[in-house]
Amino acid sequence: MTTLYDFSMPLPDGSSMALSTLQGQVVLLVNTASECGYTRQYAGLQELHDSLSGQGLRVLAFPCNQFGGQEPGTDAQIASFCASRFQLTLPLSAKVEVNGPQAHPLWRWLTQADSAHPHPVKWNFTKFLLDGKGRVVKRFEPAVAPHELLPDIEVLLGRRAAAD
């Protein structure tokens, strides 16, 4: 069975991060764009990262220019924009494609994870929530704000059961 741990994340410096290093962590993967109406969600993603990374959440952003050409910059320009505008410290990948024949293998897997209803990413800031075993648990469309993911994240972190 394929899981998140079978893939790597391309980094802006040309290296890559083995996603197997995230075993046991709850992971939120998001395709992002700097010139999108949803770009302000970077702030909420960073807030999730800041407040829950110590409890086992990892948020990973994957810039993509496939939707309306809203991520036209270079990897360095994207990283600079995210750092200066949103004080982003969560991991940011090199720019990738998430749909089509040139889609990064991770994103091909994500969009096929629900084999009963596979479908491509529709727009920037589509989010995939994965459990501590590297399996896709839920997909969220772009209009869902990061703070709205908190109940689902807390369940996976085991916080919701403890709080109830």
Side-chain angles (χ1 to χ4, degrees), residues 5 10 29 39 60 68 76 80 107 109 130-131 139 143 157 160:
Y5 312 133
L29 301 169
T39 300
L60 307 177
S80 177
W107 286 87
W109 173 73
L130 291 84
D131 66 14
R139 177 181 177 148
L157 291 175
R160 177 64 72 176

Side-chain angles (χ1 to χ4, degrees), residues 74-137:
T74 65
D75 290 337
Q77 290 168 328
I78 295 165
S80 177
F81 169 82
C82 290
S84 66
R85 177 100 186 266
F86 296 101
Q87 293 71 52
L88 206 69
T89 60
L90 59 90
L92 186 67
S93 83
K95 192 163 40 172
V96 299
E97 290 191 14
V98 298
N99 289 333
Q102 299 302 315
H104 187 277
L106 169 63
W107 286 87
R108 280 198 302 266
W109 173 73
L110 288 168
T111 58
Q112 299 295 318
D114 180 0
S115 59
H117 302 96
H119 60 285
V121 173
K122 293 178 187 173
W123 198 253
N124 303 310
F125 289 88
T126 297
K127 302 156 197 76
F128 290 86
L129 184 61
L130 291 84
D131 66 14
K133 294 183 179 178
R135 302 174 299 199
V136 175
V137 173

Side-chain angles (χ1 to χ4, degrees), residues 25 48-58:
Q25 304 292 306
L48 285 175
H49 171 79
D50 290 345
S51 63
L52 297 174
S53 64
Q55 296 168 43
L57 175 70
R58 297 294 173 260

Side-chain angles (χ1 to χ4, degrees), residues 13 18 34 59 66 77 85 108 111 134 153 161:
D13 66 4
S34 300
V59 180
Q66 286 187 286
Q77 290 168 328
R85 177 100 186 266
R108 280 198 302 266
T111 58
I153 292 169

